[in-house]
Amino acid sequence: MSSMESVLKKSFGLETFRPKQKEIIESVLKKHNTLGVLPTGSGKSLCYQVPALILEGTTIVISPLISLMQDQVNTLQEKGINAQYINSNMSKKDQEDVDRLVFNGEVDLLYVAPERFNSSEFLALIDSIHIPLVAFDEAHCISKWGHDFRPSYQEVIPVINAHINDAIKVALTATATEDVEKNIVDLLNIENDHVYKTSVKRDNLELIVNNTYQRERFILDYLNNHKDDSGIIYAATRKETEKISGFLKDNGIDSLIYHAGLSKKEREENQYRFINNDVKVIVATNAFGMGIDKENIRFIIHFNLPGDLESYYQEIGRAGRDGKMSQCILLSNSRDILLQQFFIDRSPASDDVKESMREKLDRMIQYKETSKCLSASIVKYFDKNEYVEPCGMCSNCLNVNRTVDMTKEAKFLIELSKDYEISPEKAIQILRGESADNIIHASLHHAKQYGSLSNYLTSEVHHIIEEVVYQGYLHLKNNTLYLVDKSYRVLDDLDKVYTVTYRTQFKEKVDVSTETSFNESLYQQLKDKREELAVEKNIEESQIFTDTLLKEIAKKMPENKSDMIKISGIGNYKLKHYSPHFLKVIEEYKK
């Protein structure tokens, strides 16, 4: 038995590692900077706790929440592990006692908040001891593109590099989009070979979107039908939590509340009572939940729309940690969007980060309104290259309105993808029979499927492609459509493909191109303009427009700001500060 397995069994009482835990630990022990992206409840902490007990010296764990580090240290101490924390709530004497233990080599794991690195005493302490490993818990806080960016997390990196440059760095998070992942990898000097991810898909979570106008009535009925179940009701504001809890009390249902406006004692007491099943229901803001170790949470209801899918995924991830089926229900109304927009406008973040927050809110709204599988939608949000199949149990998969037969259209698409290696954009052009330069130049107008959906709108063909991908009949990877085993069930007439009503009108075949970007020359001119602006403003090119967005602009060739704002990913800030430069390039190109 290796030292990894023996530590796992002896110190944590576990027989086997969960997916990717072993690979992450091995990478760390081989002295590689490493990133682990593992779903909430999948044992991220073990990925640095096990190496900390194998490596000589004191591992430092940077943790964002005082309550979280206290809970983790208490749990470790109960297992007989030498763990301590230092935070601003401690008395000077208690801090000095921990310092002494650390200095004497009696601490294997030391948990600190990033702000601790501003203390000259702390820096003197870490200079005097051997630190083999620095772990960044909740590592999405490092990235300004993350949903919970904390500047102190990013500011700590140069300090660590200056004082403990030879320490291995391991970053762990449950919620990293591709932008966030790339940002973490760049900041912590992690090679792509040492990034380990598992799918965000949780097979035991039943996802439901309910657009009821009677949210309080829905919650009351739900709780009366699930009296033995434990769950969290999330609300967007403190006032809303008080209001919901009062409504439940008036209707004979006992619940606790949790938000940042309560005293520390009251928050701790309510959390303790909920975890110990004294009260089944807690109504809370998003201040509640990080590090909550309660396995039998059977439901999570969001009374309001969250600001982004990362927060939503992290919050619903607290359900069903025991592996049993649990429900995650999203309620909301139109005022929720205005509230989230207000939060963004009031945020102290920079303009480009606010723009990113607006884009994330747009994706959250799309999730609420989509007709596609909710589970697949979340998977594709975090990893657009992952193959998805419908979960078969979310509210969209069970939608009785999924009755429109689109098998014929699906077959055209699958046959086309079998004959050619193409992107969804090119598939739309071919199926609609567009006579664009890039199609003619590549002789794609000779494809037998060319024009087979000539009386369909671009948006309708786009809907068909998304449905076929999200139902698992094609795989979309690196923006290319690939056949899978399931594709042949449609080609062989074994499966029919159904969707919701989506045809809006019939339209005559048009010669306007869906993807004029390859008109490579316009795309290149837009890239040149972006580079010029990035140098002038001293920012990264991707902060202006990503390559994907530039391609979209080159496809659609907007003529004015009204056209530009319709392109997904362009909000008010980018419209005002960057768009005029690109509109000018397009105008010149058209001339």
Side-chain angles (χ1 to χ4, degrees):
M1 191 185 286
S2 74
S3 57
M4 274 169 52
E5 273 84 5
S6 59
V7 166
L8 185 72
K9 186 165 188 179
K10 185 178 159 194
S11 299
F12 298 97
L14 300 169
E15 294 292 335
T16 54
F17 287 106
R18 291 183 186 177
K20 300 295 179 188
Q21 282 181 330
K22 190 173 183 180
E23 292 92 326
I24 292 168
I25 294 166
E26 282 175 339
S27 175
V28 169
L29 293 176
K30 287 176 183 170
K31 297 188 165 23
H32 298 306
N33 290 345
T34 305
L35 170 62
V37 184
L38 308 178
T40 302
S42 61
K44 292 185 294 295
S45 305
L46 276 180
C47 297
Y48 58 79
Q49 289 168 349
V50 170
L53 299 182
I54 295 171
L55 297 165
E56 288 292 323
T58 301
T59 289
I60 289 184
V61 183
I62 301 171
S63 180
L65 285 182
I66 287 173
S67 60
L68 185 58
M69 67 171 79
Q70 288 172 341
D71 289 347
Q72 290 202 332
V73 168
N74 290 341
T75 304
L76 289 169
Q77 287 177 347
E78 285 167 13
K79 290 180 166 70
I81 292 167
N82 296 326
Q84 297 289 342
Y85 61 81
I86 304 175
N87 65 43
S88 53
N89 281 358
M90 295 167 68
S91 67
K92 187 84 176 144
K93 182 188 177 306
D94 287 346
Q95 284 189 31
E96 286 168 356
D97 288 346
V98 174
D99 287 352
R100 194 174 305 109
L101 290 169
V102 171
F103 185 76
N104 292 334
E106 295 174 44
V107 176
D108 291 319
L109 284 139
L110 178 65
Y111 285 72
V112 296
E115 291 78 10
R116 185 59 33 194
F117 286 83
N118 297 332
S119 156
S120 54
E121 290 95 337
F122 182 69
L123 293 178
L125 175 67
I126 63 173
D127 285 341
S128 68
I129 60 168
H130 176 54
I131 297 166
L133 177 64
V134 176
F136 290 84
D137 207 1
E138 307 295 344
H140 55 271
C141 297
I142 291 174
S143 171
K144 71 175 180 179
W145 308 120
H147 67 286
D148 196 12
F149 173 52
R150 306 197 179 197
S152 59
Y153 245 61
Q154 208 176 88
E155 288 157 9
V156 85
I157 296 168
V159 183
I160 288 169
N161 290 340
H163 286 264
I164 34 178
N165 192 33
D166 55 345
I168 310 151
K169 300 181 187 77
V170 61
L172 294 148
T173 179
T175 50
T177 56
E178 286 175 31
D179 288 344
V180 171
E181 186 186 306
K182 185 178 183 305
N183 205 194
I184 295 169
V185 161
D186 290 346
L187 289 166
L188 295 180
N189 192 25
I190 297 168
E191 293 174 10
N192 286 333
D193 288 352
H194 307 306
V195 175
Y196 298 91
K197 296 192 287 188
T198 59
S199 173
V200 300
K201 193 170 192 292
R202 292 274 307 276
D203 292 329
N204 66 318
L205 297 186
E206 186 184 336
L207 305 177
I208 297 164
V209 170
N210 187 320
N211 293 312
T212 178
Y213 289 101
Q214 297 179 302
R215 292 181 291 180
E216 287 92 347
R217 169 55 55 187
F218 172 88
I219 288 172
L220 187 60
D221 291 345
Y222 187 90
L223 296 181
N224 280 326
N225 289 324
H226 296 80
K227 285 183 175 171
D228 296 329
D229 291 344
S230 198
I232 306 170
I233 299 169
Y234 278 110
T237 63
R238 300 173 188 183
K239 187 178 173 185
E240 200 87 78
T241 62
E242 305 271 1
K243 193 171 139 194
I244 296 165
S245 187
F247 170 77
L248 295 179
K249 188 179 178 184
D250 291 345
N251 285 277
I253 292 178
D254 196 10
S255 68
L256 300 161
I257 55 170
Y258 189 105
H259 57 66
L262 302 177
S263 69
K264 181 171 178 280
K265 183 174 180 293
E266 196 174 353
R267 287 201 307 273
E268 286 177 355
E269 189 179 315
N270 287 357
Q271 181 171 319
Y272 179 84
R273 290 182 66 201
F274 176 67
I275 286 173
N276 287 281
N277 288 317
D278 293 351
V279 178
K280 297 281 188 187
V281 180
I282 191 162
V283 188
T285 61
N286 61 7
F288 179 75
M290 200 180 271
I292 292 298
D293 196 13
K294 181 175 169 65
E295 289 199 330
N296 65 337
I297 294 174
R298 288 280 72 83
F299 65 85
I300 289 182
I301 298 173
H302 279 76
F303 189 80
N304 305 105
L305 187 79
D308 52 73
L309 269 167
E310 290 101 312
S311 302
Y312 184 64
Y313 176 73
Q314 193 168 41
E315 284 154 20
I316 64 174
R318 284 154 199 155
R321 292 195 178 185
D322 53 8
K324 294 179 183 174
M325 287 304 301
S326 306
Q327 290 191 318
C328 305
I329 302 164
L330 175 62
L331 311 172
S332 74
N333 68 19
S334 54
R335 285 198 304 277
D336 293 343
I337 297 170
L338 296 174
L339 180 64
Q340 291 299 341
Q341 287 169 338
F342 170 74
F343 287 155
I344 294 169
D345 292 339
R346 206 182 59 174
S347 161
S350 62
D351 285 333
D352 59 336
V353 172
K354 282 186 180 180
E355 193 58 38
S356 171
M357 290 161 79
R358 289 188 184 99
E359 287 168 19
K360 287 175 187 289
L361 177 58
D362 286 344
R363 295 297 298 272
M364 187 70 234
I365 295 165
Q366 284 170 19
Y367 173 84
K368 182 180 89 77
E369 295 178 351
T370 186
S371 61
K372 295 188 290 293
C373 170
L374 296 173
S375 175
S377 298
I378 288 178
V379 170
K380 278 290 187 188
Y381 176 73
F382 286 106
D383 185 356
K384 58 176 180 273
N385 285 332
E386 187 172 334
Y387 172 64
V388 290
E389 286 192 277
C391 68
M393 62 184 180
C394 72
S395 52
N396 284 353
C397 284
L398 299 175
N399 187 342
V400 292
N401 296 322
R402 196 168 281 277
T403 54
V404 178
D405 188 340
M406 54 171 255
T407 309
K408 181 185 74 170
E409 293 87 344
K411 205 180 261 193
F412 286 138
L413 173 66
I414 293 168
E415 285 170 347
L416 178 64
S417 305
K418 187 181 176 196
D419 295 344
Y420 300 92
E421 201 170 280
I422 49 163
S423 66
E425 291 83 6
K426 277 205 174 75
I428 292 172
Q429 289 180 285
I430 296 163
L431 292 169
R432 292 186 69 232
E434 294 178 6
S435 53
D437 292 351
N438 60 310
I439 297 298
I440 308 298
H441 181 71
S443 298
L444 291 170
H445 58 302
H446 295 311
K448 64 177 182 282
Q449 300 83 9
Y450 183 75
S452 54
L453 301 181
S454 59
N455 61 341
Y456 283 62
L457 298 173
T458 297
S459 59
E460 292 167 346
V461 185
H462 184 262
H463 172 86
I464 292 163
I465 293 172
E466 284 208 324
E467 278 286 2
V468 171
V469 168
Y470 277 71
Q471 291 188 36
Y473 290 110
L474 280 177
H475 178 27
L476 178 62
K477 184 176 183 180
N478 296 325
N479 205 36
T480 303
L481 294 162
Y482 296 99
L483 267 69
V484 292
D485 290 346
K486 205 173 164 184
S487 311
Y488 296 94
R489 293 192 61 80
V490 177
L491 296 182
D492 297 338
D493 296 318
L494 296 172
D495 279 8
K496 284 191 168 296
V497 186
Y498 292 95
T499 182
V500 293
T501 304
Y502 67 97
R503 295 301 316 267
T504 49
Q505 65 186 86
F506 281 88
K507 190 165 182 174
E508 290 303 309
K509 178 175 164 180
V510 288
D511 288 337
V512 177
S513 176
T514 304
E515 188 185 49
T516 46
S517 58
F518 303 97
N519 286 339
E520 224 6 277
S521 57
L522 173 58
Y523 176 52
Q524 198 53 55
Q525 285 175 42
L526 294 172
K527 281 178 79 173
D528 293 344
K529 174 54 71 177
R530 180 181 66 180
E531 185 182 356
E532 183 190 312
L533 283 173
V535 171
E536 181 191 316
K537 296 179 185 294
N538 194 26
I539 56 174
E540 293 172 29
E541 289 184 27
S542 61
Q543 286 177 237
I544 298 172
F545 291 133
T546 60
D547 286 351
T548 307
L549 203 47
L550 275 191
K551 285 177 184 175
E552 197 65 20
I553 293 167
K555 282 176 215 170
K556 301 204 167 147
M557 290 208 276
E559 293 183 359
N560 49 44
K561 284 186 176 180
S562 299
D563 292 343
M564 196 69 110
I565 195 76
K566 289 173 188 164
I567 297 174
S568 178
I570 298 179
N572 290 322
Y573 180 80
K574 288 184 180 176
L575 186 73
K576 181 181 174 185
H577 290 85
Y578 306 138
S579 295
H581 302 282
F582 293 92
L583 287 169
K584 202 166 182 184
V585 171
I586 294 165
E587 188 185 344
E588 291 298 317
Y589 176 81
K590 281 184 173 178
K591 282 179 186 172

